[in-house]
Amino acid sequence: MNIEIKDLSQVYKNDFRALNRVNLEINPGMFGLLGPNGAGKSTLMRILVTLQKPTHGEVFVNGMPLSKNRKEVRSYLGYLPQDFRFFAKLRTWEFLDYAASLAGIKSKKQRLSAVDDLLEQVGLFDVRNRFANKLSGGMKRRLGIAQALIGDPKIIIVDEPTTGLDPEERIRFRNILSNLSQKEVIIILSTHIVGDISSTCSQMALLNSGEVHFTGSPEQFIKQS
Ligand code: ADP
Ligand code: ADP
């Protein structure tokens, strides 16, 4: 797996330039996208998950242009959007079962076994019969990452997942992501908190006003700032 972002720009209809000539190379492991509110992190992530078309530039996944391979790339993408919400009154396990059926897992038996594995992985097995909308904020966030992991994605994109979490839940969430990065997958984590990145990511970029101001390791970043 390899992602190359080449000369990517996003100009919105009001002429606002949310991304300006962004170039990045992302390899397996955990990649941190650090930046303050309004830096363009969500914009970049929406482009990566093919929800939005950039004004200029291209993303290459394993050398293939994303704009011409949306369907294939989508089949191995997992995404936790920043504003992930539950709309239905479903039990925690039912929510994941439903998400698994949307993801195309047709066999009920296969779905239920995947759901149990995911519930264990994110520490929600004991609350699997609780209604999803009654879970605590931290548990909801973990259910959010569980749905992003359905179907063993090779690229996992998580947008500001730790915002509003207490320190304990923040660490739990980081640990779930760290465990994932032991596989040959790319995980891209956006955050405005350096600590989220320094404790988990091997590579990072700093995005500010739509431009990349630093790429390298979190250790290098902390040393120079
Ligand atoms: P429009 O011509 O309708 O303004 P835009 O491309 O500007 O089209 O907006 C497209 C979508 O993005 C709309 O749903 C709009 O509400 C949303 N949007 C517009 N401005 C912002 C903003 N500053 N931040 C986030 N979303 C925005
Ligand atoms: P971040 O995730 O780093 O907070 P965003 O990508 O959400 O950054 O937003 C970057 C900038 O682009 C912000 O100033 C935001 O208001 C603006 N923006 C986002 N979406 C739209 C849109 N659809 N139309 C106009 N402006 C937008």
Side-chain angles (χ1 to χ4, degrees):
M1 265 304 131
N2 163 273
I3 299 175
E4 269 181 288
I5 297 170
K6 287 203 173 150
D7 211 19
L8 206 67
S9 292
Q10 179 75 62
V11 181
Y12 286 115
K13 273 186 200 152
N14 52 3
D15 282 339
F16 183 81
R17 191 170 278 270
L19 293 175
N20 190 25
R21 314 198 73 160
V22 168
N23 288 286
L24 287 173
E25 189 180 340
I26 302 175
N27 292 304
M30 213 160 135
F31 186 93
L33 186 62
L34 181 68
N37 265 338
K41 304 182 299 295
S42 295
T43 297
L44 180 57
M45 291 184 140
R46 284 197 303 266
I47 293 170
L48 291 175
V49 300
T50 74
L51 287 175
Q52 191 172 318
K53 221 169 90 185
T55 319
H56 184 266
E58 181 64 273
V59 176
F60 296 89
V61 178
N62 290 338
M64 297 187 318
L66 184 59
S67 60
K68 296 191 178 68
N69 297 277
R70 285 176 55 173
K71 219 176 153 186
E72 188 191 332
V73 174
R74 274 186 178 192
S75 73
Y76 51 77
L77 267 181
Y79 178 43
L80 174 56
Q82 190 176 3
D83 50 4
F84 184 73
R85 296 269 189 285
F86 310 101
F87 297 105
K89 196 180 170 196
L90 292 172
R91 293 182 192 279
T92 298
W93 75 266
E94 285 173 324
F95 174 79
L96 285 177
D97 181 44
Y98 177 65
S101 67
L102 287 185
I105 307 179
K106 293 206 178 76
S107 136
K108 178 99 185 167
K109 201 174 147 197
Q110 217 180 320
R111 277 206 307 277
L112 292 184
S113 125
V115 165
D116 279 358
D117 286 349
L118 288 165
L119 288 168
E120 287 286 3
Q121 202 176 340
V122 303
L124 291 177
F125 193 80
D126 292 344
V127 295
R128 65 191 178 283
N129 285 318
R130 254 197 243 172
F131 283 108
N133 55 6
K134 294 278 157 60
L135 296 175
S136 72
M139 287 173 172
K140 280 183 184 159
R141 212 64 66 86
R142 283 188 267 140
L143 183 54
I145 190 70
Q147 67 73 37
L149 297 178
I150 289 168
D152 285 323
K154 296 187 176 73
I155 301 172
I156 301 157
I157 295 188
V158 252
D159 198 353
E160 296 255 12
T162 63
T163 303
L165 294 186
D166 62 39
E168 200 182 321
E169 272 293 353
R170 188 178 287 278
I171 288 165
R172 276 192 97 141
F173 202 94
R174 284 179 191 166
N175 288 341
I176 293 170
L177 294 180
S178 298
N179 288 340
L180 289 173
S181 63
Q182 283 157 19
K183 301 185 201 164
E184 263 289 287
V185 295
I186 289 178
I187 304 168
I188 305 176
L189 164 74
S190 87
T191 178
H192 58 276
I193 297 158
V194 184
D196 282 346
I197 285 178
S198 58
S199 59
T200 50
C201 298
S202 51
Q203 291 294 305
M204 66 166 281
L206 173 69
L207 195 66
N208 213 336
S209 304
E211 296 188 356
V212 174
H213 286 265
F214 170 90
T215 54
S217 71
E219 293 74 28
Q220 289 167 326
F221 177 74
I222 288 163
K223 218 179 278 171
Q224 60 104 59
S225 58

